[in-house]
Structures are given as C-alpha cells and as structure tokens.
Amino acid sequence: MTKALVTGAAGFIGSQVAEALEARGHEVIGLDLRSGDDVRDRAVLDRLLPGADVVVHQAAKVGLGVDVGDLPDYASVNVFGTAVLLAAMAEHGVGRLVLASSMVVYGEGAYDCARHGRVRPRPRSSADLERGSFEPRCPRCGAGVAFVAIDEDAPTDPRNAYATTKLAQEHLAANWARETGGTATALRYHNVYGPRMPRNTPYSGVAAIFRSALEAGRAPRVFEDGGQTRDFVHVRDVAEANVAALTGGEPGTLTAYNIASGEPHTVGEMAAALAAQRGGPEPVTTGEYRLGDVRHILASPQRAAVGLGYQARIGFAEGMKEFATAPLA
C-alpha cells in the first residue's frame, strides 16, 4: 500500500484520482484550497507530507483565463506553488512525484508538409483568423499541412499563460528529480471531460462550456468553423493513468507521457454529440476565435502504453452519452 498526498484533491480531476487510488487500497491524504489548505503554504505541507511515499500533484489554476491580468495568479499557483511543494518534498524525503501536466505545452500539434516533411506552424495571426483562414500552413512554403499524432519528443511551444506555467512545472520537477534522485512522472493530459467538470467560466474547458449551455437551454456556440481537432479523454481514464504512474520510472529523471485516447474528434463533433444526447438545441458555428487556441492536436498514446501499461478505455460515444447528463461542479 502507498501513502499518497493528492493536491487539488477536491477538484474535478483530483477528486477522481483520489477515489481511484483509494479503490486500489492506497492511503490518500487530501490537500485542497477549498478546505483551506494551500499548496503554497509551507506549514500545511510540513503537516501533511511526513510519511508520504508519493505526491500526486493535481492542484493548478487552469484554462486560458481572461487576460494578462491573470498572469500573477497563474505564476503564483502553478509555478511558485510547485516550487514550494518540491522543496518540502526534498526536506521530508518524499521521492516520487506524479505531476498533472497538459498537452498545451506543445502549442500546435504535429504537422506534415508534402514538400518539407514534419513542420511546426507559426501561431495563427489575428488577421488570418478574422478572415476565417483557420488552418495552419507550412512555415517554409506556405502550403497546407496535414496534422498527425504528436509524441512526447516533440518540441514544446507554450502559447498562453497556462501552457507556460505547466511547462515550468515540468522543468522544476526535472530539477527536483536530478538534485534529489527522485522519480518524476509528468502526465500530459489532453482534453479531459466527464462528471464533476466545473461549469462555464473563463477557466473552463470547451466541453464544460457546451454542456453548461445545453443545460441552460442554449445552443452551444462553436468557435471558428468547428473543425478544430482534439483528443478527448474521460476523467476516469485520467484517474487510472495516475494510479499506473505510482510505479516505474527512472530515479533522477522526469518522464513525460501523453494521457489521451489516440482518437481525433472535432470540437464541432463534440458539440453535436452532446446536443443530440440532450435533445438539442443544435450547436451554432460562430466563426469567433481565441488567439491562444490551437487548431489541431492529436496525441500518440504509445509511450504511456509501453511505459505505464496504460490505455484509455472509455470511447467517445460512450463518454459523451454519460457526460451529456452527468452532474457538473
């Protein structure tokens, strides 16, 4: 049996990670801001860490946020909070970390150009987006490109505050692992959805935004042309990935894994599936855009299958059917 400190243990993902750990017979110590415990508070960590075998770090400020006024909060919670946690882990001799990272560290996904092979498109300009030119193009010749699955060796290219701070967490965890001999596993979650997802806020994922609209009797508003591709992974599958990450890994290093289904679906397809399950109203495609969004990102789940023995099991149709009427937080 493992004794695990789970940060963010009352949150959407953290609560279900805690339940999955307990179901496997592990002892869980929960830390969450909702109950007054802040991961940035060293006194709280000194009280909760002694005797822990592993920290499963889910606590974070998530989403794209509102504007640059959110930068201090993202840096404080995600970067400073992780630094305080790692320093406390080192002092208390806790030698294993499972870190909730994110696919947003990649920026755009992987693309192939017929002429130049694998390329990384530049961020899409507001001028292109304004005129409805949503697809990335080859940065060398300007031709169209085809998206392909991205693996963990792809260069990182964070394009918003949340992405930048998630990558910073990975770097800090790698520093901690090298200096202490600890084992760090970064789970790069792709688009997580499922029961207890937070309702529509500027920090919610698109699945929660659509689901909240439908619950209120409003049509989901699909940005761009709805053709943005994502890898939607159910929260219970994500919880199982955290359980799998309790073992393995190489001391002194950080290993990153995509936690994803490996199956592409468009944002428009998801909105339509949720609307159909609830009986409408049908989605409306608006042409609106957010500069921080990427166009296509599909994950390769192969490294997680080999290194963690992990595979997502809840399919898109099954998951959307449940999520259409599941309780939100």
Side-chain angles (χ1 to χ4, degrees):
M1 182 183 72
T2 297
K3 185 176 181 180
L5 173 63
V6 179
T7 72
F12 162 48
I13 298 175
S15 64
Q16 299 185 65
V17 169
E19 289 173 3
L21 291 168
E22 289 175 335
R24 299 298 194 284
H26 301 296
E27 180 182 352
V28 172
I29 310 160
L31 183 160
D32 196 277
L33 191 60
R34 294 168 180 81
S35 57
D37 290 335
D38 192 330
V39 74
R40 293 167 291 185
D41 188 334
R42 181 57 187 266
V44 168
L45 297 173
D46 288 340
R47 172 168 54 85
L48 298 178
L49 276 172
D53 302 301
V54 59
V55 171
V56 183
H57 186 28
Q58 307 292 319
K61 186 179 179 72
V62 300
L64 286 180
V66 178
D67 53 35
V68 293
D70 280 328
L71 287 174
D73 277 347
Y74 277 107
S76 178
V77 175
N78 296 353
V79 182
F80 179 67
T82 299
V84 173
L85 173 64
L86 293 170
M89 287 175 63
E91 182 167 319
H92 290 282
V94 182
R96 182 176 288 273
L97 172 72
V98 179
L99 171 67
S101 187
S102 173
M103 59 90 174
V104 295
V105 302
Y106 296 120
E108 276 287 354
Y111 295 84
D112 284 343
C113 171
R115 181 178 176 188
H116 294 107
R118 186 62 46 87
V119 294
R120 295 302 302 274
R122 300 184 182 96
R124 298 176 298 166
S125 70
S126 56
D128 283 345
L129 294 168
E130 194 66 38
R131 64 172 178 264
S133 179
F134 300 123
E135 293 294 336
R137 307 192 74 79
C138 176
R140 297 178 63 185
C141 67
V145 290
F147 72 88
V148 294
I150 196 165
D151 64 27
E152 295 85 350
D153 293 327
T156 53
D157 184 18
R159 297 184 177 185
N160 56 60
Y162 174 61
T164 298
T165 58
K166 295 309 286 184
L167 184 58
Q169 287 183 321
E170 289 195 17
H171 288 320
L172 288 170
N175 297 154
W176 166 84
R178 281 194 297 270
E179 294 184 27
T180 67
T183 302
T185 301
L187 303 180
R188 291 176 176 170
Y189 302 159
H190 284 250
N191 284 68
V192 186
Y193 71 96
R196 304 180 208 163
M197 200 171 190
R199 294 179 184 277
N200 182 10
T201 78
Y203 309 97
S204 297
V206 66
I209 293 171
F210 291 165
R211 172 70 169 71
S212 296
L214 287 164
E215 189 173 59
R218 301 190 307 270
R221 295 175 61 81
V222 180
F223 281 14
E224 301 186 18
D225 59 359
Q228 312 93 300
T229 308
R230 297 291 185 268
D231 193 317
F232 298 102
V233 58
H234 195 281
V235 66
R236 288 197 297 275
D237 280 331
V238 170
E240 291 302 322
N242 279 269
V243 175
L246 292 184
T247 57
E250 185 177 345
T253 65
L254 176 141
T255 306
Y257 295 99
N258 286 328
I259 302 303
S261 70
E263 297 181 1
H265 292 278
T266 67
V267 171
E269 186 181 354
M270 181 188 65
L274 289 174
Q277 289 295 335
R278 289 191 66 95
E282 293 186 3
V284 174
T285 302
T286 69
E288 296 171 89
Y289 63 87
R290 298 189 300 185
L291 273 177
D293 282 343
V294 298
R295 181 63 176 176
H296 302 295
I297 185 161
L298 169 67
S300 168
Q302 292 306 115
R303 182 184 288 181
V306 173
L308 299 177
Y310 166 80
Q311 183 176 7
R313 300 190 181 280
I314 300 174
F316 180 80
E318 176 189 356
M320 290 297 159
K321 181 178 180 179
E322 177 197 26
F323 183 55
T325 57
L328 301 180

